[in-house]
Amino acid sequence: MIKVAVNGFSVIGRRIADAVAAQPDMKLVGVSKVKADYKAARAIEKGYNLFSLDDKAAKSFADAGMKITGTVREMIPQADIVLDASPEDSGPENKKLYEEFGKKAVFQGGEEDSTAGLSFVAQCNFEKAQGRQYVRVVSCNSTALCRVLHSLDETFGVSKARVVIARRAADPDEVTKGPIDSVVLDPVSIPSHHGPDVNTVLPNFPVISMAIKVPTTHMHLHSLIVSVKDKSVSTQKVIEKFEKTPRLMFVTSKAGFKSTSHIIDMARDLGRPRNDVYESVVWKDSVKVIDDEVYFFMAVHQEAIVTPENIDAIRALMRTHERSESMAITDRTLGIRS
Amino acid sequence: MIKVAVNGFSVIGRRIADAVAAQPDMKLVGVSKVKADYKAARAIEKGYNLFSLDDKAAKSFADAGMKITGTVREMIPQADIVLDASPEDSGPENKKLYEEFGKKAVFQGGEEDSTAGLSFVAQCNFEKAQGRQYVRVVSCNSTALCRVLHSLDETFGVSKARVVIARRAADPDEVTKGPIDSVVLDPVSIPSHHGPDVNTVLPNFPVISMAIKVPTTHMHLHSLIVSVKDKSVSTQKVIEKFEKTPRLMFVTSKAGFKSTSHIIDMARDLGRPRNDVYESVVWKDSVKVIDDEVYFFMAVHQEAIVTPENIDAIRALMRTHERSESMAITDRTLGIRS
Amino acid sequence: MIKVAVNGFSVIGRRIADAVAAQPDMKLVGVSKVKADYKAARAIEKGYNLFSLDDKAAKSFADAGMKITGTVREMIPQADIVLDASPEDSGPENKKLYEEFGKKAVFQGGEEDSTAGLSFVAQCNFEKAQGRQYVRVVSCNSTALCRVLHSLDETFGVSKARVVIARRAADPDEVTKGPIDSVVLDPVSIPSHHGPDVNTVLPNFPVISMAIKVPTTHMHLHSLIVSVKDKSVSTQKVIEKFEKTPRLMFVTSKAGFKSTSHIIDMARDLGRPRNDVYESVVWKDSVKVIDDEVYFFMAVHQEAIVTPENIDAIRALMRTHERSESMAITDRTLGIRS
Amino acid sequence: MIKVAVNGFSVIGRRIADAVAAQPDMKLVGVSKVKADYKAARAIEKGYNLFSLDDKAAKSFADAGMKITGTVREMIPQADIVLDASPEDSGPENKKLYEEFGKKAVFQGGEEDSTAGLSFVAQCNFEKAQGRQYVRVVSCNSTALCRVLHSLDETFGVSKARVVIARRAADPDEVTKGPIDSVVLDPVSIPSHHGPDVNTVLPNFPVISMAIKVPTTHMHLHSLIVSVKDKSVSTQKVIEKFEKTPRLMFVTSKAGFKSTSHIIDMARDLGRPRNDVYESVVWKDSVKVIDDEVYFFMAVHQEAIVTPENIDAIRALMRTHERSESMAITDRTLGIRS
């Protein structure tokens, strides 16, 4: 059993803690948290060992009548590996702690590639991560892009990918963030950082991204335009390739999927925890090849898509399974459909 | 085992079908649906018998490769009782069908009170519904209002209740409905229909409602101002009464609940199916008595709050359990917290 | 000619600068600004003297190629009176500057009542402000409430006013503020600060307020429930009183007004600068007296409603006109309808 | 003086009526309307002759106490030319009326190209429209695309244009339209109709469009990726070309423009009627040439951008001015900046 600590218990931390708890080969030694809020209360209800960030946080848990097991410094030694889901840019500081105790760690996409030395998407570069001390799971948008672009490149050879990302501006519970009635260019300059971030996983991959922020909370929506080298490419061939691509779910407008909301509504119907969608979701009837360019729409659940990647990253660093074995276990335990 | 058919499988139908399936004393004989969409596909995956509205609908299911069991006319005879969750105002037409087969039926709040002859909220008038042929579960807003007003009246005697309802303008999957950036007076005239609708359950109860529509999808938000006869009323006494009120959940800002979104986020954390909140949710730290008026904020999950009422309505019509027994079974099977 | 400086050129500053420029008895000596953005460019185009906040800001204007006249310290001495439209809570610091130069000043609702020593709404307490050194125009919501409550009290005697304020969460150009899909209780505790703020203008007025924030940018929407002492009150009498109330505009659903958006759309049609609505807008067909309680809906344009009050405040402090004269000039120059 | 009738007085009709009234060589003979709402009241205040759609509509104006001049059938004969701004798809029916009286007419983008026989954007094909009986001004999105694509093609030769259009889902006063919290694929299939619509003005122009709908009311946002034949193209050259392109306004993030809202806010500051933006708005600092592909963001004010095109279309059909003369008069009277 791999002993896993989850450092940070917000959007990502809550999800990967539950995912770790669901793995047959892992044991969750605890989760860390700063605030004594309803999320902390729920962790305790689930029987997770709750650790406070520091002594000050410990006091607020005590005031709220919540029993904690200790502080983060007491949690880390109990683990074989740490999933770092702390706030963006706190990776370098946390890394010192992991080094002090000689623990392996998985960082998230809010950190720099250089903090971990390798950026990770399971189906793209699992093998490179095997046995390493650190790895970084890339952001939600980059994870989804790597999945589909790597897949198209395998079969058709990508000569240039262009993507326009309409980002959800806030998560459902982030009530202070806007905009309310506006499209924000984020950033105004082109390309956005998403293309270069894909390149941390797929070096030199030719991809240009443009990004806007829109007033929704549910999913990012990618509009892709991908030029390929194989001139025999066709709509049908791309559909066949995507059907074999891991962690890619097809939906159709005929079955009622006309928006990002319908995807989330389906996830609610599926009984997915927190209506999580781990798959890159592609509209099958949007896939279209015109000349040698592949066009399609893809939706990305920003809260959930990196969950399976984090689980696979653990097994890669711990060298307990090969890629296909790890992905199969992860997919089965999370109910991934593809 | 009470054999239950669910006629209509949209917002309410999906939920009460699942709730019926979860009851130890009920058997779901089938659900009816018009469109061969992802909701229908999910019903089949769950093993529900799917019936089409009519022959035309049957053809669309066939075209989509979905196996159905028959049409609505074939479903009704198999049931002891029908939960009618069909579109608003189709109750009178459907009632003819139920009469033809001599079946009991539970209608929803979109129908007129006169269609069923009695409007129902379990904790208010379960006994009146016992043994009846028809009953109508009132709308989400009315259900929540009946719960808290009936409770306050029991202990303090309500002399006048006033409520301003900020309605969520659309359900999460209703993507054609707005407004986007506006507050709509719905209606402009005062009082709105909500007060009179409460009176279908609590006759002559003194309640005046004002209603506006705001651009959110998650919950309704009620602002209540209730004058009571008992001049010894106090904030503490109201809190104590609400703690004993069935299907009322307290939340606090201290635990992180500052908006309707936080309630839904908690429901996702709880693992509730479709993040459903069956309880009337009252902010404990909003409760305030000033002179002889009780003020508080309450959130209402429009998709889910009537689910337990529908289940109890079945047992009332079928006369299989007393109120407290029925509510206890319902609450336990749905995981209701109060 | 009263020489007026406008310190701050954001939401309120832009508007009162234009309003000052439109008065026959006032001269705008200049406006101050921090950022060299499109708003600054527009001020220059209009021929306003632009002053930078300080030397650092002066450099950014130079970098942008914008000609400025000096810094704030050079603007103040040129004025008889300063309209302080600087960011919330900077009033006390700015007041030292005004004291240094012995200038009168009008502060905004973001400051404490104590900074100015008197809070102001023209139709309520113009006379008290006459000849004073400082005065504070209250916030948009308080201004609108004072107008209608003072008016009702004059004729019917208010025994208790209750208001639920659905606040627009951000101004149209504040693109970082949310929520996107949520109703935020702001604050959760009752009463909100709005009632006490009304009391800075109308001491001891019996008013309780509850406030929520909704995802819109256009106007606040007030739901009012006002108990009055005059038992002969009637819907018709209230309508007649409101028709005679200054700066109150009636609209009706019959004429197409069903939302806050329709009010703004009308202001666009009227050719109002920046679609500004200076009036408290009451839906005539929402006014309803039930027993001795007056119910109605009112919309408040948060960006614009204090503009006329600022202009009148200048004349009050400068003792150049009586109330009715000042309000008449202001209303005529701004095109106020009531 | 060209006598112009405006048939329809909603989003477009109101604007082109005001624009006609502002032209030195035109006279507005009247406007037609169905509902006796605040827009009608405003038309009367402005001194426009108001005509009702039919006798039934006439009665509703009489009931509202609004004086009308007659019905549409009485308005048409008084005009030399009709601007048809009636609801989408009513063009063919209306055309019969114009034919009956032998009047020229300008249709809007909601009609089929075939109804008019020629689709129009002033800077692209003014000459083709000269002297014709009918012409169709294309939709807001197509107008903006034609302006920039035609311009790029003139200088660099476009080999393929791709555009992702994030459409505002409703106009500010359309309060029943959504979505509220969703991105809707509209349509799911690729390409959307926008590319072919551009081809009604620029035949065979190689352009592929994808379209999504987002919950905003202010402007459409286009993300453009344009491959050009001239390999010497550069960011600087494109900027220089756009500076010379008619009805194209540059904005920069440095001057505070980071969203569609900031554009509208600037238009409010400019004192534009109804904050109208007639120009295609391009972010100067978004323009980027990578290899031989030109990338940029463009905002389109859906309510206003076709106003100048309608005015020019009148002069083309009436053969009173050459293109450059007409565009110059239109731009001057509307205050267009480019």
Side-chain angles (χ1 to χ4, degrees), chain A residues 71-289:
Chain A
T71 63
V72 171
R73 287 194 66 85
E74 295 165 296
M75 176 177 74
I76 303 302
Q78 301 182 24
D80 298 319
I81 185 168
V82 186
L83 282 177
D84 185 288
S86 54
E88 197 165 320
D89 295 327
S90 48
E93 192 59 31
N94 290 348
K95 190 180 169 184
K96 293 178 193 166
L97 185 66
Y98 311 148
E99 281 176 337
E100 180 184 337
F101 291 103
K103 301 298 180 183
K104 290 176 184 276
V106 179
F107 294 93
Q108 306 302 313
E111 307 305 322
E112 297 293 323
D113 175 60
S114 58
T115 299
L118 179 71
S119 290
F120 177 89
V121 171
Q123 68 201 71
C124 299
N125 62 357
F126 184 97
E127 287 74 11
K128 281 194 189 164
Q130 286 184 307
R132 287 183 58 92
Q133 190 71 358
Y134 303 118
V135 83
R136 166 187 173 253
V137 169
V138 290
S139 75
C140 48
N141 282 310
S142 300
T143 297
L145 284 171
C146 286
R147 287 183 188 166
V148 292
L149 294 179
H150 180 258
S151 175
L152 286 174
D153 193 47
E154 276 183 334
T155 300
F156 306 106
V158 170
S159 54
K160 181 172 294 190
R162 308 155 198 91
V163 59
V164 177
I165 305 178
R167 299 170 55 197
R168 69 82 191 91
D171 287 333
D173 61 329
E174 294 182 307
V175 298
T176 61
K177 282 193 188 173
I180 289 170
D181 182 7
S182 190
V183 175
V184 178
L185 308 195
D186 188 26
V188 169
S189 59
I190 299 170
S192 72
H193 75 279
H194 302 92
D197 198 44
V198 166
N199 290 152
T200 64
V201 177
L202 305 174
N204 303 317
F205 198 95
V207 52
I208 309 282
S209 56
M210 303 169 80
I212 60 176
K213 238 173 20 181
V214 299
T216 69
T217 68
H218 292 309
M219 300 185 95
H220 301 302
L221 193 282
H222 292 214
S223 302
L224 282 124
I225 304 163
V226 185
S227 299
V228 298
K229 295 170 190 161
D230 179 351
K231 302 303 176 194
S232 79
V233 66
S234 70
T235 300
Q236 189 51 36
K237 284 183 182 176
V238 172
I239 287 173
E240 284 165 11
K241 176 61 179 175
F242 278 167
E243 279 171 343
K244 289 178 290 196
T245 300
R247 296 178 182 166
L248 185 156
M249 184 195 285
F250 262 146
V251 295
T252 67
S253 59
K254 204 176 165 186
F257 298 96
K258 293 180 179 172
S259 71
T260 51
S261 293
H262 292 118
I263 311 286
I264 296 295
D265 189 56
M266 172 207 53
R268 294 170 83 193
D269 252 17
L270 283 177
R272 289 277 181 92
R274 301 186 182 84
N275 56 260
D276 280 353
V277 182
Y278 310 111
E279 299 88 347
S280 313
V281 181
V282 173
W283 273 265
K284 192 174 181 175
D285 43 344
S286 78
V287 177
K288 181 83 176 179
V289 171

Side-chain angles (χ1 to χ4, degrees), chain C residues 13 44 101 133 136-137 146 163 165 183 220 240 247 315 332:
Chain C
I44 291 172
F101 291 105
Q133 191 69 359
R136 166 186 172 253
V137 168
C146 285
V163 58
I165 305 179
V183 175
H220 303 301
E240 284 165 12
R247 295 177 183 168
R315 294 202 188 93
R332 191 184 68 237

Side-chain angles (χ1 to χ4, degrees), chain C residues 38 45 181 265 269 337, chain D residues 14 38 45 181 265 337:
Chain C
Y38 64 88
E45 283 184 4
D181 183 6
D265 189 56
D269 252 18
R337 298 183 164 205
Chain D
R14 286 190 275 173
Y38 65 88
E45 282 185 4
D181 182 7
D265 189 57
R337 298 182 164 207

